[in-house]
Amino acid sequence: MVGQPAESVSALARHYPMSFAAVQKHVAVLERASLVTKERRGREQLVHANMTVLRRAARLLDAYEEIWRERVARIDQLIAED
């Protein structure tokens, strides 16, 4: 999805080793989180990535990763001091 044109839920399901229903549920969760939007075209529902929200989420996750890496490094230092 990212950097690509919208795909139907059916097309997305072909990319993953799970049922169509499972992919539908995952897309619904992503939609509730505003990470993707769905657009109905005829019988298909096209899924679009919301790049603004995805980038914001990535920055937040990067910040949390840095926090936890620093904490692990500090724990390593404390263990080494004993």
Side-chain angles (χ1 to χ4, degrees):
M1 265 181 332
V2 177
Q4 298 177 4
E7 287 196 62
S8 68
V9 176
S10 303
L12 287 172
R14 288 193 288 274
H15 295 285
Y16 300 99
M18 61 178 74
S19 69
F20 175 78
V23 171
Q24 278 184 310
K25 288 179 182 181
H26 280 78
V27 168
V29 169
L30 295 171
E31 186 177 28
R32 281 194 303 275
S34 299
L35 296 170
V36 301
T37 58
K38 287 192 301 190
E39 169 193 1
R40 182 166 288 288
R41 277 208 195 136
R43 291 181 19 194
E44 290 186 321
Q45 288 190 29
L46 299 179
V47 180
H48 300 268
N50 184 338
M51 294 308 298
T52 302
V53 176
L54 284 167
R55 286 186 190 103
R56 191 177 326 143
R59 284 193 303 271
L60 179 64
L61 290 171
D62 288 344
Y64 277 117
E65 180 180 9
E66 183 61 27
I67 289 168
W68 282 103
R69 286 186 185 280
E70 289 172 5
R71 288 180 180 180
V72 168
R74 181 65 182 136
I75 290 170
D76 287 345
Q77 289 173 346
L78 292 171
I79 291 171
E81 291 172 5
D82 282 344

